[in-house]
Amino acid sequence: MRVLIVEDEKEIADGVAGILNGEGYNTDAVYDGEDGLDYILYGFYDIILLDVMLPGLNGFDILKKIRDKGISTPVIMLTAKSQVEDKIQGLNLGADDYLTKPFDAGELLARIRARIRNTADLSENVLSAYDISIDTSTYQLKKGDKAIKLSKTEYQMLECLMMNKGQILPKNTIINKVWGFDESGDYNNLEVYVSFLRKKLKFVGASACIVTQKGVGYSLNAGV
Ligand code: CA
């Protein structure tokens, strides 16, 4: 799961990133509005935490621009205490939720899980698709009573496919989600990990399978 934090108070941004990294999320933190917009447009995030008062573009400007472009990634606005107006304006512009600063780690995690639950079949720590499930805290892939542990990279890749089951994911999208911008993701790595995952799906006896969409990318299908 990839989370973008757009927040100019560096301490808050880095603190939130630390909490989320500890929970197994991948995070990027940026500290001004223009970077925020760039990252959202090219980063393929599952959730965006967006501050309102930002240098460059403010949070409302960013939200309006991305919704106008048809980007429907869930956005949780970070608003200062007492700014009720901010909440209303944010929700009107297409924010999915808001958090009032200061917030604690538990509240942050609960809100994020609630947003993700709306887009995926996620109960407690278990994400399911077709006949397989993965435990988001132990990285176990399961079908029935057969289970196998996934590496972190395998887990992130399968999670991405499961959250978009039945849809074709371009290779670039998967690489950006799993490796981010500046790390070592490339097409060869991607293919290697897909083959690892296929072996593990086979090991647990899953019907769900990763289908190669020639020249485009991959999709997770129900299989037979
Ligand atoms: Ca701010």
Side-chain angles (χ1 to χ4, degrees):
M1 211 80 64
R2 220 171 164 74
V3 183
L4 178 68
I5 303 148
V6 189
E7 163 67 79
D8 61 316
E9 283 164 84
K10 212 163 174 274
E11 232 164 71
I12 296 180
D14 295 346
V16 166
I19 292 165
L20 295 179
N21 292 341
E23 295 288 314
Y25 292 93
N26 268 334
T27 58
D28 289 313
V30 292
Y31 312 115
D32 72 62
E34 270 145 26
D35 282 350
L37 182 62
D38 284 347
Y39 273 64
I40 294 167
L41 294 181
Y42 301 107
F44 310 106
Y45 292 95
D46 299 297
I47 287 257
I48 299 156
L49 303 178
L50 183 58
D51 186 27
V52 175
M53 298 296 286
L54 288 165
L57 289 167
N58 75 34
F60 295 137
D61 296 336
I62 293 174
L63 184 59
K64 185 165 188 322
K65 279 185 200 288
I66 64 172
R67 292 295 186 246
D68 285 350
K69 283 188 185 291
I71 296 171
S72 60
T73 309
V75 171
I76 300 176
M77 303 293 293
L78 307 178
T79 61
K81 215 176 179 176
S82 81
Q83 285 174 287
V84 181
E85 292 288 304
D86 283 358
K87 292 168 193 168
I88 296 166
Q89 192 178 351
L91 294 172
N92 284 341
L93 286 172
D96 297 272
D97 202 353
Y98 59 85
L99 263 171
T100 305
K101 294 190 273 191
F103 47 82
D104 64 30
E107 191 183 5
L108 170 72
L109 293 170
R111 297 294 183 90
I112 289 178
R113 276 196 283 267
R115 281 347 306 172
I116 292 166
R117 212 169 289 136
N118 283 352
T119 51
D121 194 0
L122 181 72
S123 66
E124 285 304 306
N125 289 326
V126 179
L127 175 68
S128 308
Y130 306 124
D131 62 343
I132 55 169
S133 63
I134 45 177
D135 187 310
T136 60
S137 56
T138 62
Y139 298 169
Q140 291 273 341
L141 165 67
K142 265 182 138 181
K143 194 240 159 171
D145 52 12
K146 274 203 112 177
I148 190 168
K149 194 167 164 59
L150 303 176
S151 71
K152 190 172 182 200
T153 303
E154 290 165 352
Y155 168 79
Q156 285 169 341
M157 190 174 293
L158 187 57
E159 177 195 66
C160 171
L161 287 161
M162 288 171 77
M163 291 192 57
N164 300 282
K165 65 178 183 183
Q167 297 171 40
I168 300 170
L169 287 177
K171 288 182 181 180
N172 262 332
T173 303
I174 303 175
I175 288 171
N176 281 333
K177 281 228 190 217
V178 175
W179 284 280
F181 286 118
D182 9 71
E183 288 164 54
S184 58
D186 64 37
Y187 294 112
N188 291 332
N189 273 342
L190 179 63
E191 277 156 29
V192 169
Y193 279 101
V194 166
S195 78
F196 290 163
L197 276 177
R198 282 179 172 148
K199 285 195 186 113
K200 291 192 174 178
L201 287 167
K202 197 171 168 199
F203 175 84
V204 297
S207 304
C209 57
I210 300 171
V211 177
T212 304
Q213 307 288 345
K214 228 171 177 249
V216 188
Y218 299 97
S219 63
L220 183 74
N221 290 8
V224 285

